């Protein structure tokens, strides 16, 4: 019955990569806790880099600064 | 004061259907728990089918397989 | 396949009231969007009143002020 | 290590305003709780007005009604 | 930079099992998307069985019914 | 109308500190985006350190290791 929400920056993750995440997390819950995969739900949220901050700075800004160096 | 988050796959829910969900959940909280509707917030997240997995498989993939049968 | 998260202040909601919320939200999604109840998940989070703020003030504080009046 | 999720209606918040929110929330957590900014994450979700309800009515609808008055 | 939230019913998951989930999800994100583990955050919410519903019925109730059979 | 969820490890934040967070985030949204404080909701989740992982390791474990050094 678990519900898992994965939040990543929107950076062009492919359908295959997202399917790998969904499969991997579901398998992990089955193997570790014996959960029923049939009712295990995984959702992935892809968040724009200007809407994601770390260290008080948007990721969009961190990347601009990294490029300048 | 309740806050409700409804997550569904992005499947063309209409504005009317979403208004019905918002009204229905708010009424339910008022009737069941006596909550104040004025501060009851409902948000709806529509998630792409390739970002939603169940049973370890993305919904987008499950639908392709269902069509083949 | 929907996932619904209901957040309310921790105020002694009974098991019966919570069962009513779970049933009501699930029925609403089935009736409004034709969702499959078997994979509809509803979770309820009960949040301490000092951890819930509205208008910039914790609910625990708002209630103390209301009592004084 | 805190994680903060800010949800607002999609109303044209600028990159600068969102950067201000990210900076402000991070500073607040550092000053109030002594948290490490390097591992403080802030995400902002901008939700369509027809997907956000208050008082049982979508914000998109509330605004239409307000305009008529 | 990913943030992952795992929600399970409160059923006595051990510290070791939870550490396995945290390690497994982090490794999966590093391997699949090349994410930096140092800023990958995983949180686990353990939800009371009477606060978790599936098919319109609380898990606490489903288990009572299963025992009677 | 904003909704903000702050997640921190359970580490003895006081009622005063939590009130400061609620006030600070609400003020920030009012000042930055002109939001109405009356419908701004802030919730704080305090998560057990063994349920919070960073770098693939639970915070409870990271602290044990730090003490040994």
């Amino acid at each position: 019955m678990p519900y898992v929400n994965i939040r990543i920056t929107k950076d062009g993750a492919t359908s295959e990569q997202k399917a790998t995440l969904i499969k991997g997390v579901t398998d992990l819950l089955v193997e570790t806790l014996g959960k029923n995969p049939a009712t295990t739900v995984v959702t992935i949220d892809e968040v724009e880099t200007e809407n994601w901050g770390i260290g008080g700075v948007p990721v969009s800004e961190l990347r601009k600064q990294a490029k300048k160096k």
Side-chain angles (χ1 to χ4, degrees), chain A:
Chain A
M1 253 156 330
Y3 173 76
V4 180
N5 181 232
I6 299 174
R7 312 204 97 201
I8 53 176
T9 46
K10 195 165 193 161
D11 273 317
T14 65
S15 304
E16 285 70 24
Q17 287 173 322
K18 292 190 280 192
T20 301
L21 290 181
I22 287 168
K23 180 76 170 63
V25 170
T26 305
D27 286 354
L28 182 67
L29 283 156
V30 172
E31 287 159 21
T32 310
L33 295 176
K35 293 295 182 184
N36 178 5
T39 53
T40 296
V41 172
V42 181
T43 59
I44 300 170
D45 295 342
E46 298 175 272
V47 178
E48 300 288 344
T49 53
E50 71 175 35
N51 287 15
W52 190 298
I54 186 158
V57 183
V59 171
S60 51
E61 191 55 37
L62 289 172
R63 292 196 181 158
K64 269 190 222 162
Q65 294 170 7
K67 272 191 188 163
K68 283 184 194 158
K69 285 174 194 174

